[in-house]
Amino acid sequence: MTDRRTVLTVALSAATILPFARGFLATPAIAAAGSFPYRLTEAQWRAKLPADAFAVLRQEATERPFTSPLNDEHRAGVFRCRGCALPLFGSATKFDSGTGWPSFFRPLPKAVGTSTDTSFGFTRTEVHCARCGGHLGHVFNDGPPPTGLRYCMNGVALTFSPSPKKA
Ligand SMILES: [Zn+2]
């Protein structure tokens, strides 16, 4: 038999838990809608970026392989988002994948986010800037040690800042 005390406890529990459950579920939905800390209107992005960078960062285009000067960038330094200048990859994690796109085995901490991309009839993991949401490329599981990951990036979505030369 259910007494009054049991009913009251159950009611309180539901009232306590539900708001937290809602908050938890709401978080991915907000991220999916493109709520990133650095935001511009489409017109502002078009004014800020060259056409090829806009097509990649804001429209998820892919640059032609072997076209990016960053393929041959071997200096020490940091690769930044061309959209918002957030540092994304350190030069120590860059490797020659032979694909014709700048490739890295690990991003800087909290620099990128991922989503599932099912375009072109197969499933890939899309990679974007954690600050502006700009599309950068994809990540695959055929990379080198220590991570086994290959972050295959569009060079046009990146800029390179060399480290200051040591005296
Ligand atoms: Zn960015």
Side-chain angles (χ1 to χ4, degrees):
M1 296 292 281
T2 307
D3 64 25
R4 284 191 51 159
R5 198 171 59 188
T6 307
V7 171
L8 186 62
T9 304
V10 169
L12 277 174
S13 299
T16 309
I17 292 164
L18 267 176
F20 289 105
R22 281 212 200 92
F24 179 75
L25 290 172
T27 305
I30 290 168
S35 179
F36 292 94
Y38 185 101
R39 268 181 288 182
L40 297 177
T41 65
E42 182 176 331
Q44 288 170 324
W45 280 120
R46 282 189 188 279
K48 179 183 173 77
L49 297 171
D52 55 356
F54 179 87
V56 171
L57 284 162
R58 309 313 306 176
Q59 299 179 314
E60 301 199 16
T62 298
E63 73 184 4
R64 283 186 299 116
F66 302 101
T67 58
S68 173
L70 295 185
N71 282 314
D72 299 316
E73 180 55 73
H74 300 299
R75 290 174 290 171
V78 68
F79 294 82
R80 297 171 182 273
C81 173
R82 189 157 186 177
C84 73
L86 180 69
L88 301 176
F89 297 94
S91 56
T93 64
K94 188 173 189 284
F95 68 99
D96 185 1
S97 64
T99 60
W101 289 285
S103 301
F104 306 83
F105 62 75
R106 179 168 49 215
L108 294 170
K110 298 182 180 170
V112 305
T114 59
S115 66
T116 300
D117 177 358
T118 55
S119 61
F120 302 107
F122 52 96
T123 301
R124 295 177 295 170
T125 302
E126 183 270 351
V127 178
H128 54 263
C129 171
R131 183 155 70 186
C132 73
H135 171 71
L136 303 170
H138 293 84
V139 58
F140 302 93
N141 290 319
D142 57 6
T147 61
L149 298 174
R150 172 170 60 94
Y151 284 82
C152 184
M153 300 290 100
N154 291 279
V156 75
L158 305 173
T159 61
F160 178 72
S161 307
S163 300
K165 283 218 167 68
K166 293 190 181 88

